[in-house]
Amino acid sequence: MTALGNGAQTAGRPTRLPRSARRKQLLAAAQEVFVAQGYHAAAMDDIAERAGVSKPVLYQHFPGKMELYLALLDTHCDAIVAKVQDAMTGTNDNKERVSASVRAYFDFVDHESEAFRLVFESDLRNDPAVRQRVERVEQGCIAAITDTIISDTGVSRAHAELLASGLVGAAETAAQFWLARGRQLPKAEAEALVAALSWRGIASFPLQGESAGPQGESA
């Protein structure tokens, strides 16, 4: 395993990076090691070697392996929630909102970094701190979609939360299934299929002040 080439060394001597740049470098190295080996098999020695730094430098920024892992989880958990929130606020077209929400999950699992494995396939799911962050992803995405459904349809929060959880569950499960089966369909086609299924269900709830269309779709 070679060290990350982020200016970690110059002519055999360590390069002093700004603290924020060093932290970013260490997190990138840790992510590669955790994705490849899992949390339990990964060692701080491996991460330091991958980053091209000494263990003391690594420990200056992160007191332990768990702190590194949680920092990565925070980054990626926040990112997927933000993508779903953007899907809700980026347009007033509800069909596009559904499509963008589904796309957020497919983009996440399809990213070359494979960071989704830290969130959805963690070997630390039973750890309270990890579980809390993973649950925060689901809750944050459901909350964003729930608020939009309530605003547009006027259904109760209980109804809206159940609908939102269905959309989130379908998008997450389908994206992981698609990846696990070796991307048998083009990504855009897979996203469109899942979005079409979800839209047919959600569209049957008319917008406030409107009645459902002749086939159960609202305008």
Side-chain angles (χ1 to χ4, degrees):
M1 186 179 291
T2 58
L4 290 176
N6 287 326
Q9 293 186 344
T10 301
R13 300 183 62 183
T15 300
R16 293 185 63 85
L17 294 177
R19 185 171 182 83
S20 60
R22 180 68 77 192
R23 179 182 172 88
K24 183 177 180 180
Q25 176 198 19
L26 297 175
L27 286 172
Q31 178 170 305
E32 292 186 7
V33 173
F34 285 138
V35 166
Q37 301 181 23
Y39 177 83
H40 292 295
M44 293 293 270
D45 284 330
D46 299 327
I47 296 168
E49 179 183 352
R50 181 69 184 118
V53 301
S54 65
K55 280 180 66 177
V57 169
L58 180 57
Y59 280 112
Q60 285 175 9
H61 293 264
F62 297 98
K65 187 168 70 168
M66 177 59 78
E67 286 75 15
L68 259 171
Y69 195 85
L70 293 179
L72 283 168
L73 269 185
D74 283 336
T75 297
H76 295 298
C77 289
D78 290 346
I80 185 65
V81 172
K83 283 184 175 292
V84 173
Q85 290 172 338
D86 289 345
M88 294 297 103
T89 60
T91 179
N92 291 324
D93 184 327
N94 286 324
K95 187 174 183 179
E96 176 53 32
R97 282 170 168 164
V98 171
S99 296
S101 297
V102 171
R103 191 180 310 121
Y105 279 91
F106 275 81
D107 285 347
F108 187 48
V109 304
D110 194 41
H111 195 276
E112 62 182 9
S113 70
E114 297 189 85
F116 80 94
R117 299 191 188 281
L118 303 178
V119 180
F120 297 143
E121 299 180 1
S122 173
D123 53 353
L124 277 180
R125 292 292 288 266
N126 291 328
D127 180 271
V130 173
R131 185 171 64 248
Q132 185 271 332
R133 284 163 170 80
V134 173
E135 290 174 352
R136 191 178 75 213
V137 173
E138 180 178 285
Q139 293 165 359
C141 293
I142 289 174
I145 298 171
T146 294
D147 290 342
T148 300
I149 292 174
I150 290 175
S151 175
D152 282 4
T153 68
V155 300
S156 69
R157 176 162 292 276
H159 284 82
E161 285 178 339
L162 191 57
L163 289 169
S165 70
L167 174 56
V168 167
E172 178 185 329
T173 301
Q176 292 186 76
F177 180 86
W178 169 79
L179 186 69
R181 289 301 179 95
R183 301 177 174 91
Q184 293 179 9
L185 294 176
K187 179 164 167 274
E189 183 179 346
E191 292 170 359
L193 281 172
V194 178
L197 174 65
S198 300
W199 173 243
R200 291 293 295 179
I202 290 178
S204 66
F205 291 83
L207 300 176
Q208 292 196 69
E210 298 181 2
S211 58
Q215 296 182 356
E217 291 189 4
S218 61

